[in-house]
Amino acid sequence: MLIEIDDSVMMALKNENPNDEHVILSLTNLFVSSYQGYHILHASIDSLEYFSKMNLGKIAQTTIQTLIKKYSSYKSLTKNISKKLIIYKNKCIQNIGSDFSMDISNVAAINKSVLISENHQDGYFYLSLARELAKESKQNWEINMSIESCGGSQIKETANNTINTEKRFSLMIVDSDKTKSTSSKGSTAKDLLRFITRNPTSIVATPYILKVREKENLIPPSFYIKLSQHQNNKWLSFLSTVEDDDEYIEFLRFSDIKDDVGKVNDVSNYSSIMQKIHTFITDDNKGVGKNAVTQFKDLILDHGITTKKNDFIQKISGGLDVKNNSNDTLEYLSRIEDFSNHIIDYIPKYLKEDWYEIYDLVAVFGCCLPEMIRMNA
């Protein structure tokens, strides 16, 4: 997270109590968190120079000197991060817009931000999605977050422990489980929103309910068929041709693409679509399956396709006969590799806003300085 220390903290130390132990400890924790590669820290040059004369410990002082030395370049890193956390002391922060704010009196140990999702694989998918968009957008910061799983039914307990007990900045992303845009949210989403509403906290915590049915709907059919196991899927191939057709957008966003794409609660809503798609569905091929998102993440977002291509080239160089392996031709692997390196260019219009909203939120909570991560690797 981008954390800005307001000048009011320096002024309180100067004018009120330069030996305020709680403020000194909080400042130390903030600078250490930046050194550890958990957050990006920013303050005015005046504040940084004042803090450099304090006894905050060796790690904090090393971080402060780095921030002073690279002040201009670090400041420019943050121009594409939409929100920051402002740390202040004894003042009312005005005109912060959508930014978060916290009195330094409420700052405890500063750990990595945490991404809470319904299972660990969901969380890793959102992280990989955000990292890929950041990379393709040529951002100079990186994303570093912990992953927590709530198992759906345990969302309230997990959120309470992470936010109120561990005091960690928390981003919570769960499926909507909606069967159409006008239907009500599922129990996990409702429980999360109810918990956040009834438990106000000084800790930065943001819930995000997917605007599609579930994470499987975030991947368009045209992306799924890039995977060799789905290349011959007829209903996916058909749906990949209608991603720009307004008649199909609601269906693409809220059908049960994971388990049974042909099963809908309100057939009248999709009667013409169902007549077309049922001709392509077979008993053993109704959905992409529970592992499809992880497979897409590993191969495309995490660039496993490049490893696969390099392995293939090595086999050819070693004289191994690979002619019969039609799904692993060099042409196919090169084409999918190119797709994985430019995925921004291929996101269909009906999902572009969803991808960028997730990217933006993960960047807000997880942005950090790359050299700090490498220093502590």
Side-chain angles (χ1 to χ4, degrees):
M1 179 173 284
L2 172 58
I3 302 175
E4 180 179 298
I5 304 175
D6 185 72
D7 282 345
S8 59
V9 175
M10 173 188 67
M11 298 308 297
L13 288 167
K14 268 187 175 182
N15 302 329
E16 297 173 22
N17 183 4
N19 299 311
D20 188 320
E21 291 184 2
H22 183 83
V23 173
I24 291 171
L25 178 60
S26 296
L27 282 172
T28 300
N29 289 338
L30 284 164
F31 286 115
V32 169
S33 76
S34 179
Y35 178 86
Q36 292 173 320
Y38 294 168
H39 304 285
I40 299 177
L41 213 58
H42 180 68
S44 69
I45 285 291
D46 287 344
S47 285
L48 289 171
E49 289 179 345
Y50 181 83
F51 299 148
S52 71
K53 299 179 177 68
M54 297 174 62
N55 183 21
L56 299 179
K58 184 177 179 180
I59 292 177
Q61 289 300 342
T62 298
T63 307
I64 292 168
Q65 293 304 321
T66 301
L67 293 174
I68 292 173
K69 183 179 179 180
K70 299 188 175 183
Y71 184 81
S72 296
S73 60
Y74 282 172
K75 188 174 182 179
S76 68
L77 285 180
T78 65
K79 63 183 179 180
N80 292 321
I81 299 171
S82 64
K83 293 183 182 182
K84 61 179 177 287
L85 169 62
I86 302 173
I87 303 291
Y88 62 93
K89 177 66 176 174
N90 298 339
K91 70 178 277 190
C92 181
I93 299 292
Q94 301 292 333
N95 301 318
I96 66 169
S98 62
D99 288 333
F100 306 111
S101 65
M102 180 186 293
D103 192 295
I104 197 165
S105 301
N106 295 320
V107 174
I110 307 294
N111 295 308
K112 278 185 195 177
S113 296
V114 60
L115 197 166
I116 301 173
S117 55
E118 292 176 68
N119 62 64
H120 285 90
Q121 292 307 316
D122 291 14
Y124 290 125
F125 167 63
Y126 302 132
L127 276 186
S128 293
L129 182 155
R131 284 170 174 157
E132 180 58 24
L133 265 59
K135 187 185 80 172
E136 291 190 30
S137 301
K138 295 181 168 53
Q139 304 301 339
N140 292 320
W141 36 261
E142 293 185 8
I143 293 171
N144 190 17
M145 295 183 76
S146 297
I147 300 293
E148 292 288 343
S149 167
C150 69
S153 61
Q154 299 296 312
I155 184 63
K156 291 184 291 185
E157 291 81 358
T158 305
N160 182 59
N161 180 64
T162 304
I163 298 167
N164 296 323
T165 303
E166 298 179 359
K167 307 292 185 186
R168 300 173 70 185
F169 304 147
S170 301
L171 171 62
M172 296 148 280
I173 304 179
V174 299
D175 296 339
S176 74
D177 292 324
K178 294 171 68 169
T179 56
K180 55 185 178 181
S181 59
T182 55
S183 66
S184 61
K185 299 178 179 69
S187 58
T188 299
K190 287 179 179 177
D191 285 347
L192 174 59
L193 294 176
R194 193 178 300 116
F195 170 81
I196 294 297
T197 301
R198 294 177 180 177
N199 295 273
T201 175
S202 62
I203 301 298
V204 179
T206 297
Y208 181 79
I209 312 302
L210 295 185
K211 295 180 179 178
V212 295
R213 180 178 184 140
E214 51 193 347
K215 68 181 185 298
E216 283 76 14
N217 298 80
L218 287 171
I219 300 175
S222 57
F223 285 14
Y224 280 120
I225 60 175
K226 303 291 185 186
L227 306 178
S228 58
Q229 59 267 45
H230 295 301
Q231 276 187 312
N232 299 317
N233 185 312
K234 292 183 179 180
W235 61 263
L236 275 175
S237 296
F238 168 71
L239 289 176
S240 72
T241 67
V242 295
E243 290 174 356
D244 295 325
D245 188 333
D246 289 343
E247 179 187 358
Y248 286 85
I249 302 307
E250 176 97 354
F251 181 82
L252 290 167
R253 293 177 67 84
F254 297 101
S255 61
D256 187 0
I257 196 170
K258 177 174 71 175
D259 295 319
D260 189 348
V261 72
K263 181 181 178 182
V264 294
N265 290 356
D266 188 350
V267 177
S268 62
N269 257 24
Y270 307 118
S271 56
S272 62
I273 296 174
M274 298 314 296
Q275 288 175 9
K276 296 174 184 176
I277 201 170
H278 267 301
T279 63
F280 302 113
I281 298 173
T282 60
D283 288 341
D284 60 350
N285 184 20
K286 295 181 177 180
V288 295
K290 65 179 182 180
N291 296 320
V293 170
T294 297
Q295 291 163 349
F296 177 82
K297 177 194 80 72
D298 292 345
L299 194 71
I300 306 298
L301 296 178
D302 293 345
H303 300 279
I305 188 69
T306 298
T307 301
K308 200 169 183 180
K309 175 187 170 184
N310 292 338
D311 288 346
F312 182 84
I313 292 172
Q314 281 191 334
K315 288 178 182 178
I316 295 176
S317 301
L320 188 66
D321 183 7
V322 292
K323 292 180 181 178
N324 294 326
N325 200 340
S326 60
N327 287 330
D328 283 335
T329 65
L330 189 56
E331 184 277 331
Y332 164 75
L333 294 170
S334 298
R335 177 162 42 86
I336 302 305
E337 182 185 41
D338 183 70
F339 163 75
S340 74
N341 289 329
H342 304 91
I343 201 165
I344 283 179
D345 299 334
Y346 297 96
I347 305 169
K349 183 179 178 181
Y350 83 93
L351 284 174
K352 194 172 284 284
E353 184 176 319
D354 301 83
W355 276 55
Y356 275 93
E357 281 187 0
I358 293 169
Y359 159 59
D360 182 66
L361 279 169
V362 173
V364 164
F365 277 82
C367 66
C368 59
L369 297 173
E371 56 263 51
M372 298 296 188
I373 288 181
R374 284 186 271 279
M375 190 185 302
N376 290 278

